[in-house]
Amino acid sequence: MYGSDSINDDSERTAFRKTEKKYKLYYDSSSKSSKKKKQPRPVDLSEVIDFKAISESFDRNGDLRAGVSKLECPFDRPVFCLDDCPGFYFIPAALSIEEQCRWIKESLMSFPQPPNRTNHNAIYGAIHNLFNAAKNRQVLVKDETAPAEDDSVSVDINSQNHSWACLEELDSSVNGDSCKSVSASVLLRKLRWSTLGLQFDWSKRSYNVSLPHNKIPDALCQLAKKMAAPAMAVGEEFQPEAAIVNYFGSGDMLGGHLDDMEADWSKPIVSMSLGCKAIFLLGGKSRNDEPLAMFLRSGDIVLMSGEARERFHGVPRIFTDTEHAEIGFLEKQFSDEDDSFYLEYVKTSRININIRQVF
């Protein structure tokens, strides 16, 4: 899902892969000095659709760029569509600054909490209180002399062989020969996904209803129902049953894929963007179809339903530099000392919450 592009011959690439490569983060290697900070290679953004600019232009004079239309519906904010992609809806600045901050905090504090699963489960088992442990500069310690855990069972970090420890306590409290440790800050930076509601089994690419899970928080359900309304048939209401939270750092990408594990594709995926600005690619039903590129900013919401669910899509780039990240308002909101660790994280990260109706 995340990673680098290892193919070098453009003749072997699909149109989608070529566009991914076009926008992917590369560093300028012209400098021979290892002491000089690497600079991102310039990228041509002139063809990227900017719905913020489209919305501002429409508000000023009613103009829309070719191929984009405004949905006529009883909704409290503008909803834009792509004429050639039925079922795709873009809602710029759908979330208030307060809502963005709330869901950033929830994504870091609450959503990775067991019984929700994360990418760390396979190696470390269930990890509690990861964000607070990173904030407090703690390390996760596993005693290698303890009996091995069954891979199918979540590990409680409060158990005898898996616990948090302060860095200064590590040398004196544990035997270095029999313990392995990893810092919470490293684990937080390597957090790539968490799952809410019905749990998704990545190895089988299906939902596993037998796995322990909590329902999606009510406030998030109500928000998703409200935002999904433009994509729903008259008289129907979106039923949030599962969500996948993706965490991106500088250089991370989400390769072209389909979200095809839900039973009814007429129901939308509600996708919320938080943090640093990104480029989103929306392709066709084949990877050989050239995708459209568009900016995703913090607070934007995308809905994909019906035919749009059949199209490959992905995120080849997030912007963490001051010029392009466009998170000044979040930095101001998180400027209090109590929120400084959120600020440190969000300055170089993007979070995406995508909410689904499974059945």
Side-chain angles (χ1 to χ4, degrees):
M1 183 171 66
Y2 297 85
S4 60
D5 196 341
S6 60
I7 303 175
N8 294 315
D9 185 355
D10 273 354
S11 65
E12 298 181 27
R13 299 178 190 274
T14 62
F16 200 100
R17 295 278 281 180
K18 288 178 181 178
T19 308
E20 283 180 327
K21 181 184 178 184
K22 175 181 177 180
Y23 293 113
K24 186 174 180 283
L25 175 62
Y26 293 100
Y27 287 99
D28 192 343
S29 58
S30 59
S31 174
K32 296 182 180 180
S33 173
S34 59
K35 295 182 180 180
K36 185 177 180 179
K37 185 178 178 180
K38 292 188 297 183
Q39 296 297 318
R41 189 181 302 172
V43 58
D44 181 3
L45 301 175
S46 61
E47 296 179 355
V48 182
I49 299 173
D50 188 339
F51 279 100
K52 178 183 178 183
I54 289 171
S55 182
E56 291 172 348
S57 175
F58 183 81
D59 288 342
R60 284 195 305 270
N61 50 39
D63 289 345
L64 288 171
R65 64 172 281 166
V68 175
S69 58
K70 182 178 178 292
L71 182 68
E72 297 299 327
C73 67
F75 201 63
D76 61 358
R77 62 207 73 196
V79 180
F80 297 99
C81 309
L82 296 175
D83 297 342
D84 293 334
C85 185
F88 179 86
Y89 307 88
F90 197 110
I91 312 176
L95 303 177
S96 68
I97 295 175
E98 291 75 19
E99 286 175 315
Q100 293 172 52
C101 291
R102 174 182 182 174
W103 296 116
I104 288 171
K105 289 182 175 182
E106 293 283 357
S107 296
L108 294 172
M109 283 281 291
S110 304
F111 294 166
Q113 290 281 77
N116 298 340
R117 298 173 68 82
T118 76
N119 57 292
H120 290 320
N121 276 72
I123 298 175
Y124 302 103
I127 299 178
H128 295 253
N129 304 320
L130 174 58
F131 185 80
N132 278 337
K135 183 178 179 180
N136 295 326
R137 297 174 56 82
Q138 292 181 305
V139 295
L140 187 68
V141 181
K142 183 173 182 180
D143 187 349
E144 293 297 305
T145 63
E149 294 282 346
D150 184 341
D151 288 343
S152 65
V153 179
S154 294
V155 179
D156 184 348
I157 67 155
N158 295 314
S159 65
Q160 188 174 6
N161 68 320
H162 210 172
S163 60
W164 290 120
C166 293
L167 281 172
E168 56 269 23
E169 297 173 353
L170 187 59
D171 291 338
S172 60
S173 63
V174 296
N175 183 339
D177 294 331
S178 62
C179 293
K180 291 185 177 181
S181 65
V182 57
S183 73
S185 60
V186 168
L187 290 173
L188 182 62
R189 276 299 167 192
K190 291 186 176 181
L191 182 66
R192 290 294 176 261
W193 54 262
S194 61
T195 49
L196 315 181
L198 294 176
Q199 297 293 289
F200 191 79
D201 187 335
W202 295 90
S203 63
K204 298 179 181 178
R205 294 198 75 248
S206 63
Y207 289 95
N208 187 340
V209 297
S210 67
L211 288 173
H213 64 276
N214 295 328
K215 289 186 177 180
I216 295 176
D218 185 64
L220 186 59
C221 279
Q222 295 307 314
L223 177 61
K225 287 180 179 181
K226 176 184 177 181
M227 293 299 166
M232 297 296 295
V234 176
E236 291 190 1
E237 186 179 63
F238 183 65
Q239 300 299 323
E241 294 169 320
I244 298 175
V245 186
N246 297 121
Y247 304 84
F248 298 79
S250 179
D252 287 340
M253 59 179 291
L254 180 62
H257 66 284
L258 298 174
D259 292 306
D260 54 2
M261 290 297 105
E262 292 73 37
D264 185 355
W265 290 7
S266 70
K267 303 300 187 293
I269 289 178
V270 181
S271 180
M272 300 165 45
S273 287
L274 303 166
C276 293
K277 187 173 71 175
I279 290 179
F280 177 75
L281 298 183
L282 179 66
K285 297 181 181 181
S286 164
R287 294 180 192 272
N288 290 316
D289 297 324
E290 185 173 355
L292 292 172
M294 61 195 77
F295 290 123
L296 284 175
R297 293 177 173 86
S298 192
D300 291 344
I301 284 183
V302 165
L303 308 176
M304 295 181 69
S305 63
E307 184 179 319
R309 292 284 301 265
E310 303 176 41
R311 293 178 176 244
F312 283 90
H313 55 280
V315 177
R317 177 76 172 266
I318 73 162
F319 296 95
T320 59
D321 60 290
T322 303
E323 180 183 358
H324 295 101
E326 297 189 32
I327 56 168
F329 59 95
L330 288 176
E331 292 179 316
K332 186 175 181 179
Q333 200 75 7
F334 283 131
S335 60
D336 291 344
E337 185 176 348
D338 290 343
D339 291 333
S340 60
F341 202 68
Y342 292 109
L343 175 60
E344 181 182 334
Y345 182 90
V346 81
K347 285 170 70 173
T348 58
S349 305
R350 173 180 181 261
I351 298 171
N352 170 241
I353 306 173
N354 51 90
I355 306 149
R356 300 122 185 280
Q357 180 171 327
V358 177
F359 300 112

